[in-house]
Amino acid sequence: MDCNKVGKLIHSLRSEKSMTQKQLADMMNISDRTISKWERGIGCPDVSLLNGLSKILGVNIEKLLTGDLNSKEIDGGNMKKAKFYICDNCGNAMFSINEADISCCGRTLPALEATEENETHTMTIEEIESDYFIKINHEMTKTHYISFVALKGYDRVHFVKLYPEQNAELRIPQMSGDKLYAYCNEHGLWEKRIK
């Protein structure tokens, strides 16, 4: 751990939040001289203080320890790079316009890789009024079910959460889009091209 880099990052994040060293120190129940030492690179935060410091400054502990936020390249939110994430522990499902550092239940989540529709996982799509009626031929038990369905358009995603013991059927408004995704809690993410 490079105390100079950590100190510069703490100073930068504290300044972004318009906080004084004294305000940060009071929130952490330590002295403002300790904050000053960190920011000057004379020492680094004790492990017992990292969780509180990361919450106050709004940065994860790993980034705090490296002293570098490593900004991602801005690409304008290209939907072709859209990613889905799911927590195996609690079932939380998330979506990001680009690759992201996402964690849940204390674990870093990898982006899901979609496979093509196959004979085990199929979707039928019917146009009804201005919606797509989607039916998935899949069991919906408490242990094996479709968790979500998402239609990715050119400028938006329509995300629908499904629950065990309901029918795997839904209506999604039609939009300019190209892919429909479904996530099976046992077999992962798969996709189907609409047009």
Side-chain angles (χ1 to χ4, degrees):
M1 178 169 29
D2 183 338
C3 290
N4 283 320
K5 288 177 74 177
V6 172
K8 286 179 184 176
L9 181 60
I10 291 171
H11 177 265
S12 172
L13 294 169
R14 178 182 61 77
S15 297
E16 281 178 15
K17 295 192 173 291
S18 301
M19 296 172 64
T20 65
Q21 289 180 344
K22 176 86 170 112
Q23 289 170 324
L24 178 57
D26 288 346
M27 292 175 81
M28 298 186 66
N29 295 319
I30 58 176
S31 82
D32 56 340
R33 288 183 298 217
T34 303
I35 304 294
S36 176
K37 286 181 182 179
W38 295 345
E39 291 184 358
R40 290 182 288 141
I42 295 173
C44 284
D46 186 79
V47 173
S48 63
L49 300 173
L50 290 175
N51 189 41
L53 185 60
S54 74
K55 287 180 181 175
I56 292 167
L57 296 177
V59 65
N60 72 35
I61 293 173
E62 179 185 346
K63 298 295 184 184
L64 191 59
L65 290 173
T66 62
D68 189 11
L69 291 181
N70 291 339
S71 296
K72 296 195 181 299
E73 185 178 315
I74 297 172
D75 69 355
N78 186 340
M79 293 299 276
K80 289 182 180 181
K81 296 180 181 180
K83 302 290 182 187
F84 294 95
Y85 302 82
I86 196 142
C87 178
D88 290 331
N89 190 48
C90 70
N92 195 5
M94 290 153 271
F95 166 77
S96 170
I97 293 175
N98 205 337
E99 194 83 32
D101 294 329
I102 294 179
S103 62
C104 188
C105 296
R107 293 179 175 93
T108 301
L109 304 180
L112 298 174
E113 295 294 328
T115 59
E116 292 292 323
E117 181 180 44
N118 57 46
E119 57 280 342
T120 309
H121 295 95
T122 60
M123 295 180 257
T124 58
I125 303 168
E126 181 182 339
E127 292 185 22
I128 299 177
E129 298 165 351
S130 61
D131 293 341
Y132 290 125
F133 176 69
I134 300 157
K135 187 171 184 178
I136 303 170
N137 185 18
H138 194 281
E139 67 180 276
M140 293 293 284
T141 64
K142 289 183 179 181
T143 57
H144 189 197
Y145 58 92
I146 301 300
S147 176
F148 70 82
V149 175
L151 174 61
K152 183 181 77 170
Y154 300 121
D155 62 351
R156 70 193 74 191
V157 169
H158 194 93
F159 191 95
V160 179
K161 178 78 174 122
L162 299 178
Y163 297 94
E165 300 182 345
Q166 77 176 79
N167 291 332
E169 302 174 346
L170 62 141
R171 284 177 76 155
I172 294 179
Q174 290 182 24
M175 61 181 180
S176 298
D178 59 349
K179 287 189 182 174
L180 187 64
Y181 295 87
Y183 179 79
C184 169
N185 73 318
E186 285 190 10
H187 301 105
L189 187 69
W190 85 90
E191 65 186 13
K192 178 176 184 154
R193 195 166 289 283
I194 290 185
K195 294 179 182 178

